[in-house]
Structure formats: C-alpha cells, structure tokens
Amino acid sequence: MDKQQQQLSLVKSSRQSCNEWIFRDVPSDITIEVNGGTFALHKFPLVSRSGRIRKLVAEHRDSDISRVELMNLPGGAESFELAAKFCYGINFEITSLNVAQLCCVSDNLEMTEEFSKDNLHLHAEQYLESIVYKNLEMCVEVLQQCENLLPHANELNIVSRCIDAVASKACAEQIALSFSRLEYSSSGRLHTIRQAKCEGDWWIEDLSVIRIDLYQRVITAMKCRGVRPESIGASLVNYAQKVLTKKVDLVSTGHQKLVVETIISLLPVERLAVPISFLFELLRNAVMLDCAIAGRLDLERRIGSQLDIATLDDLLIPSFRHGCETLFDVDTVYRIVVNFSQQDDDEYDMDDVSIFESDSPHSPSQSALLKVSKLVDDYLAEIALDVNLKLSKFMAIAEALPAHSRTIHDGLYRAIDIYLKTHKGILDADKKKLCKLIDFQKLSQEAGAHAALNERLPLQSVVQVLYFEQLRLRNAFCCSHTDGNHKPVHHQSWQTSSGGLSAAMSPRDNYASLRRENRELKLELARLRMRLNDLEKEHVCMKRDMAKSHSHKFMSSFSKKIAKLRFFRHSSSRGSSSPSRQSYRADSKVIERTCASIE
C-alpha cells in the first residue's frame, strides 16, 4: 500500500508540474504514458531531441499516432519529466541526486549527440566527469541513487566508475594524511605523529547508507587500492551495527543473513584488523541466521588465531539450534579451541636443534597458552552448571588444549568439581575418566587441601592427592635440613620438581631444559671420574708400600690413606637419612605401591 500511494502521489505531482511548464497556448498532439503517469506534450520538441520517440512517431506516420507508452523507462515519471523539460528548453539544475537518472533516461530515449547536438546525455556525462567523480561524498550519493536504476546504471558503467572514484579518493586521503603526520625531530630525523585510529576516514559513515551489493563492490575496490585494513575493518563494523541492530522480521531476516555472509567474506586477512568482540558478534548472528557453513568456519578460524585476547562473555554463545538441549553452543567453542591449539602444526624434529631456537610464526606462545587455558577453565566452570551437558562434550573441551598449556590445575579441578556437584547421578567409571584429566601434582596447596577432603572425588584420586601432598611435605623437610654447599640428588624429588616444570613447558622449552640438565649431569660425572682416578692412584701407592715393608713408616702412611678414604666416605654420606627419615621414606613407598596397584 505504501508503494502504491507513493506512485499515485508522484503521478499527481508530475501532472501538476507538467501543467506549469508546457505550452498552454498550443494544444498538445501527443500523450506520453510512463509508469502510470500521463504527460500531454507536443511532438516537435520531443522528436527534435529523442531518437526513440522520433522512431516511434515515424513508424506510425500514416495513422498519426497520438499516444505513446514508454515501458521500463529508468527512473519512471520523474526522470521523464526532467528529459521532457530539457526537450522544451526549460532550465533545471543537474545534481548528484538526479545525474544518474538523467544518464539512464537520456540513454534510453536516445538523447545523444547522434540525434541532436549538445544533448542531455552529454550534459549528464560532463557533470559526472567534471564534478561527481572528483568528490567522494557525491560519488556515494550517486551510488545510492543507482540502486533503483539497475541494471541500466551498470550497463552505462556509472556504478563501476563511482566505485573506482570512491576507492581512489579514500586511498589518496590516507596517503595525504600519512604525509601530514610526518615531522622532523630535534635530531633531524623524520618520525610519524601519533593520531587517533582511523582519523580521516570520514567516508565510513557515508558508506553505511548504500545497499549491501554495492557496498561489497566498494570495499573490494578499496582493498585492491591499498586502503588500510584497520579502516576496512572499521567500515565493516559500522555497517554491521547499522543493519544488524534493526528490528528483525520475516522480511528482513533474509536481508540480514545476506549482510552477515557478505561482511564475513570482506573481513581483512590481517589478524587485528577488527575487534575480536565483533568477530564473536558476527558468529552469533551467523549461527542464529543459519548462514553458510564456510563463513562460520572462517569466523571460528579467525577467532581461534586470537583467542588469547577473548573474554569469558565472548565464549558464552547461546544455543540457537532447534532441539538443542544445552544452554550454550559448546560445539562451536570446541572448534574454536581446537583451531587455537592446532596453530602449532609443525612436527618437532628432535634431531634438529635449530627449530627450538626460534618461535614458529604459527605456533601460540607460552603466554598465550596460559591465558587461553585459564579462559577455557573458566568456560568449563560456567557450562558445568548445565544439567543437560554431556560428559563427552565437557571432556572434549578440557582435552582440546595441549598438556603443557596448564601450569596449574586449580581451574580445571574447580570446573570438574562443579560438574560433579551438578551431575550427582554420574557413574563411578565416568568419575574416574573425568578426574584423570587433573594432574594432582599441579594443584596448589589450597586446592590440594580441598581435594583431600572432597567426597565427590573417587578414592583413587584422593589417594593421589595425599601422595603428592606427602611428597610436597618431604621435599620441604629435606630442603630445610640440607647444607647449601652439598644438595642431595634424589630421584623422586627430581620427578616432583623438574618433572612438574617440564610438563608445564612447551616442547621447545622442555627440550632446552633437558639439554641444560644433561650438561650438568655430564659435569658431575666428570668430577666423579676425577675422584675415582685419585682413589685408584692412592690404591696403587698403598699396594706398593705394602710390598716393600711393614715398617712404622708404612703404618703412618697407611693411616693417612685411611684418613683420606674416610673423608670421601664422610662427604658422600652427609646426605644419609636418619632412622626417622628412613621410616618416613618407607611410608611413602607404601603409598606409592598403593597408587600403582590401584591404577
């Protein structure tokens, strides 16, 4: 009803305006009908300028044609009125709001230089070339007018020329702005003045008014021209906010789906060109509108590459699918975490040391792993409250990160404890599988104390907690009674400290740590060999002296050798355990055997 009312009002206004400028003293001899509008005009002015009308009149010369209907005229009655005014010699202003209409209608009516000099088509083209294409804002206005003139505007290359002009102007303004930021420092060197991000990109707001198909062509042209990725990203964010925040109904749903899919295809390849919160918002809309799978997977890959700067609110994506029992879309988050962890795709070659000496550009750093592991643990604690969440999906997300990503397992333990508290009917076998995800050796003292008294944990897990707590106490006791110059090397304590650290390191750092320990062991072995050589020399001297005589001199020499041997024995036995320590160590061996039998 709205469109019909607009057409009727347009026809009435065209009739009124037509009566104001036609020759009233000369009766009309031809009636032109255009999209429901009727114009009572004269043949001579029209035939002198329009080749199409001239041909129609010539074809019906014998029947003396008096009525002509122009079908599919670009711009309808409004455009024809401007063309008729030009035929009658009535002046009107050509602007960016009507020049596209004039180009299309003059081409359709064949108002070109072939039929009359200084015709309408020439005037419209000159206005485009001399004024519109030199002004970015006017190009955008013309593009907006071309939306109702397709495909005629495309055939006349009005759209493509405006798009090239917009891209060229935006690129030129950025280059000029970059030069304006340069200044000489006190040392005589050029440096760039820091300015606000995307300063000078005023065209971002202007582009948000054009249709999505034309907007796509503009952004593609800007990319080819070299416009900054940050500016492209800012424009995409602004356009999406203008369109996707509108009220959704059955008609606009399809349009919004097209907008989301188009914006995904236009995202810059650079990592931080758009905020990660915007990527998550796009992903939510893509899931809700059931967009193409390829676009959603591309968003998940982009988010995974920068997951370390995401927040918990970003990950809490509601489940929009029908029939889904879970509150949040855990499948999507699982794929995002897998994308992050699979950045480290290169296989490590342990024989090539050089690959450990520089970070791979595609592998996540240790700091990123720590941030993501904490984020994932917080997410697990949040979704663990969902009673409909299956154990397999919970465990899949927990296992999606590599083993060395978590230096401490307090967050994972908290999430698992919440899951056990929410899902009280879980089987004992499932409890064991779930608790195997926790490295109880990496629990803090507070978390370990909580786990030791946690009745929701299986018995095996409680025994492991007690065992590692006993090791922690023993190491603390040994450190407090150890001389600073001679530290005892104990195999079990090395596993507790060094083994825990190596498990928390990346493979590259772990390898470097093992190399350092290997060098230290080699040095220690060399010292022991030197001591052994000294003892062998002393033993040879003793046998030689015994063969010579049993004199007093020999006895005194023998006592000196014995003293030296006692010195080495004393130094090697300084770290021996007392009876209380031996009983303490026996208790730990009993618990260790208990753990081994349970496993």
Side-chain angles (χ1 to χ4, degrees):
M1 290 298 294
D2 295 336
K3 290 184 178 180
Q4 293 179 356
Q5 290 178 356
Q6 290 178 359
Q7 291 178 355
L8 290 174
S9 61
L10 183 60
V11 170
K12 291 179 181 179
S13 63
S14 64
R15 287 176 179 174
Q16 292 175 358
S17 60
C18 180
N19 292 329
E20 293 176 359
W21 54 264
I22 62 173
F23 300 142
R24 296 183 179 180
D25 53 344
V26 179
S28 63
D29 54 0
I30 188 171
T31 302
I32 307 295
E33 293 183 358
V34 181
N35 295 355
T38 304
F39 296 85
L41 304 174
H42 306 85
K43 293 180 182 179
F44 178 75
L46 300 179
V47 170
S48 63
R49 290 289 189 178
S50 172
R52 181 181 177 185
I53 295 178
R54 182 185 303 179
K55 292 176 183 178
L56 291 173
V57 172
E59 291 174 357
H60 299 82
R61 181 176 298 177
D62 298 336
S63 59
D64 193 18
I65 184 172
S66 60
R67 181 177 291 273
V68 174
E69 183 178 2
L70 299 178
M71 304 293 293
N72 301 322
L73 188 71
E78 182 181 358
S79 297
F80 179 77
E81 181 182 348
L82 294 176
K85 281 185 177 182
F86 184 84
C87 294
Y88 277 83
I90 299 174
N91 293 327
F92 61 88
E93 183 181 5
I94 300 178
T95 66
S96 59
L97 299 178
N98 62 19
V99 66
Q101 294 178 347
L102 293 176
C103 279
C104 293
V105 73
S106 63
D107 180 76
N108 185 274
L109 295 177
E110 300 179 17
M111 299 176 67
T112 60
E113 298 302 297
E114 181 181 355
F115 298 95
S116 177
K117 290 184 178 181
D118 201 24
N119 215 336
L120 179 59
H121 191 74
L122 178 62
H123 283 274
E125 282 290 337
Q126 287 178 346
Y127 186 83
L128 284 174
E129 294 290 342
S130 61
I131 298 178
V132 173
Y133 295 150
K134 296 180 180 180
N135 186 290
L136 190 149
E137 188 175 7
M138 295 179 71
C139 286
V140 174
E141 291 176 351
V142 172
L143 283 176
Q144 193 174 6
Q145 299 301 316
C146 287
E147 295 176 0
N148 300 321
L149 299 172
L150 298 176
H152 301 87
N154 269 331
E155 295 172 356
L156 296 175
N157 294 325
I158 300 175
V159 175
S160 59
R161 285 182 289 174
C162 284
I163 288 174
D164 290 339
V166 169
S168 299
K169 291 295 179 184
C171 184
E173 286 190 8
Q174 286 194 351
I175 293 175
L177 185 62
S178 299
F179 279 113
S180 66
R181 293 177 182 176
L182 294 176
E183 69 174 13
Y184 284 95
S185 62
S186 57
S187 61
R189 294 184 178 182
L190 279 173
H191 69 281
T192 304
I193 306 173
R194 296 189 64 183
Q195 298 286 346
K197 190 176 182 180
C198 297
E199 181 186 357
D201 298 335
W202 53 268
W203 46 265
I204 290 177
E205 188 66 28
D206 292 337
L207 291 182
S208 62
V209 300
I210 61 178
R211 208 166 62 185
I212 184 62
D213 54 340
L214 298 180
Y215 177 78
Q216 181 181 16
R217 294 174 61 180
V218 171
I219 296 299
T220 303
M222 285 185 170
K223 286 183 177 181
C224 296
R225 292 282 184 175
V227 176
R228 287 194 305 263
E230 295 80 7
S231 300
I232 299 293
S235 179
L236 293 173
V237 172
N238 184 72
Y239 193 92
Q241 289 175 347
K242 290 291 181 63
V243 176
L244 300 179
T245 54
K246 295 179 180 179
K247 187 177 180 180
V248 180
D249 52 23
L250 295 177
V251 178
S252 61
T253 298
H255 175 64
Q256 290 194 344
K257 179 179 179 180
L258 176 62
V259 170
V260 171
E261 292 178 346
T262 303
I263 290 179
I264 293 174
S265 67
L266 294 174
L267 288 172
V269 296
E270 287 74 12
R271 185 172 179 266
L272 299 177
V274 295
I276 192 172
S277 58
F278 174 68
L279 295 179
F280 273 105
E281 191 63 32
L282 269 184
L283 183 58
R284 288 189 181 92
N285 282 277
V287 174
M288 180 179 63
L289 298 171
D290 195 21
C291 293
I293 296 295
R296 290 157 60 179
L297 293 178
D298 180 55
L299 280 177
E300 293 171 3
R301 178 185 59 80
R302 290 173 181 271
I303 292 173
S305 67
Q306 46 187 316
L307 187 59
D308 53 306
I309 60 176
T311 63
L312 178 59
D313 291 336
D314 293 331
L315 286 181
L316 296 176
I317 304 174
S319 182
F320 296 105
R321 290 177 298 176
H322 297 289
C324 187
E325 297 178 350
T326 57
L327 182 62
F328 298 107
D329 191 350
V330 294
D331 294 334
T332 298
V333 174
Y334 168 74
R335 290 192 296 269
I336 291 174
V337 178
V338 169
N339 276 306
F340 170 81
S341 60
Q342 286 182 349
Q343 292 179 86
D344 194 5
D345 288 334
D346 298 331
E347 295 183 358
Y348 291 106
D349 185 4
M350 299 301 291
D351 295 330
D352 188 5
V353 182
S354 62
I355 64 173
F356 294 96
E357 295 175 355
S358 62
D359 290 337
S360 170
H362 303 291
S363 60
S365 63
Q366 186 65 24
S367 60
L369 282 171
L370 293 176
K371 292 178 182 177
V372 173
S373 64
K374 184 180 184 305
L375 177 65
V376 170
D377 290 344
D378 292 340
Y379 179 76
L380 288 172
E382 193 71 26
I383 64 174
L385 295 169
D386 190 350
V387 294
N388 295 321
L389 180 63
K390 295 181 179 179
L391 177 65
S392 58
K393 293 188 175 183
F394 182 89
M395 293 184 63
I397 296 178
E399 294 175 324
L401 292 175
H404 62 272
S405 61
R406 293 182 176 92
T407 57
I408 187 169
H409 276 222
D410 286 14
L412 182 60
Y413 166 71
R414 172 174 168 267
I416 291 177
D417 185 48
I418 294 175
Y419 188 89
L420 294 176
K421 187 185 299 183
T422 305
H423 302 76
K424 297 181 179 180
I426 187 172
L427 300 176
D428 291 340
D430 292 335
K431 283 186 179 181
K432 294 178 181 178
K433 289 194 300 183
L434 191 58
C435 290
K436 282 184 179 180
L437 300 175
I438 307 174
D439 186 351
F440 293 100
Q441 193 173 355
K442 294 183 181 180
L443 291 181
S444 64
Q445 187 173 359
E446 293 79 10
H450 184 276
L453 301 175
N454 194 343
E455 297 179 354
R456 289 181 289 273
L457 297 180
L459 178 61
Q460 296 89 334
S461 300
V462 176
V463 172
Q464 290 183 41
V465 173
L466 294 174
Y467 170 66
F468 289 121
E469 285 300 311
Q470 188 182 26
L471 287 180
R472 195 199 309 271
L473 292 173
R474 188 187 66 183
N475 290 334
F477 179 77
C478 291
C479 291
S480 62
H481 290 78
T482 300
D483 188 6
N485 296 327
H486 300 279
K487 294 182 180 180
V489 180
H490 196 275
H491 179 69
Q492 189 66 37
S493 64
W494 177 82
Q495 284 186 343
T496 304
S497 60
S498 178
L501 288 174
S502 62
M505 296 179 182
S506 64
R508 180 181 59 257
D509 297 336
N510 196 2
Y511 180 77
S513 177
L514 291 175
R515 288 183 61 195
R516 289 194 297 270
E517 292 180 359
N518 189 26
R519 287 195 296 268
E520 293 175 358
L521 291 175
K522 286 182 178 179
L523 291 175
E524 185 66 23
L525 183 60
R527 295 191 190 97
L528 292 176
R529 285 178 178 174
M530 292 177 63
R531 293 182 182 180
L532 181 61
N533 290 335
D534 292 341
L535 288 175
E536 289 179 349
K537 290 179 181 178
E538 298 295 337
H539 180 65
V540 171
C541 293
M542 288 173 60
K543 291 178 65 177
R544 187 184 303 118
D545 293 341
M546 290 179 64
K548 287 182 178 180
S549 62
H550 297 277
S551 61
H552 177 74
K553 181 178 180 180
F554 166 76
M555 293 302 296
S556 62
S557 175
F558 180 77
S559 62
K560 291 179 181 180
K561 308 307 180 188
I562 292 298
K564 289 183 180 181
L565 289 176
R566 287 177 180 174
F567 172 78
F568 284 108
R569 186 179 59 187
H570 179 69
S571 62
S572 62
S573 61
R574 289 177 67 179
S576 60
S577 303
S578 63
S580 61
R581 292 185 186 177
Q582 293 176 357
S583 62
Y584 188 87
R585 187 174 300 168
D587 294 338
S588 66
K589 289 182 179 179
V590 170
I591 296 179
E592 187 174 349
R593 287 195 299 270
T594 304
C595 292
S597 62
I598 291 175
E599 293 178 354

